[in-house]
Structures are given as structure tokens and as C-alpha cells.
Amino acid sequence: MRANKTPKKPPSLISPTGVIKLVTHAMMGAALGLAFGLTLALSNPAVANLLNHGGSQALLVFTLTLVTTFAIGATLTGVVFIIDEDKEC
């Protein structure tokens, strides 16, 4: 007698919806990083002073660094959420 095996569903990270979810998390992180970086640069006089004396591209590099960091963090968090969501089902 054979045991009834349920077909194993593929991990949702590899599926098109998983990729869309990860891209969504990355975009949310990038938006938060952009908002945080610009708010910090405009509201904190010490950061504004550093950026003023840092050259013409200092604000761009500062903001892009924050955007990239937040986007990577949000994407990794999205991976954890998707894996946890798969385990619950």
C-alpha cells in the first residue's frame, strides 16, 4: 500500500509572484531610504554642513547609499516574510 503524498508545491520565491513581491519590498525600502535621507539632510544642520563641505556630489552619494541600504534590507526582510508565509501553508 502506498502512502498518499501531496504534491510538493514549488517555493514561491522562484515563482513570478515571488519575484513581484521581492521587487515590491525593494521599492518600499528604496522609497523609505530616500525619504529618510532627504529628511535627515534637510533637518539636521550637522549633516547639512557636512554635505555642503563634501563637494558637489556629496548629497547624491549620501542619499544613494541610504536608498541602497534600505532597499537591500527591505528585500532581505521580504525573503524572510515569504519563506515564513510558505511554512504556514
Side-chain angles (χ1 to χ4, degrees):
M1 203 192 267
R2 286 186 166 186
N4 290 335
K5 290 186 178 180
T6 59
K8 208 172 196 180
K9 77 175 186 179
S12 65
L13 278 175
I14 301 171
S15 68
T17 57
V19 172
I20 290 172
K21 287 180 183 179
L22 287 179
V23 169
T24 304
H25 280 276
M27 287 189 303
M28 284 189 292
L32 282 173
L34 180 64
F36 180 72
L38 292 177
T39 303
L40 186 63
L42 294 174
S43 67
N44 192 340
V47 173
N49 191 23
L50 276 173
L51 293 174
N52 284 336
H53 295 295
S56 62
Q57 295 184 346
L59 179 63
L60 179 66
V61 171
F62 175 74
T63 306
L64 283 178
T65 303
L66 284 175
V67 166
T68 305
T69 304
F70 274 66
I72 291 171
T75 304
L76 293 176
T77 304
V79 168
V80 171
F81 286 162
I82 292 171
I83 290 172
D84 187 49
E85 200 174 82
D86 283 346
K87 287 183 181 179
E88 288 179 2
C89 294

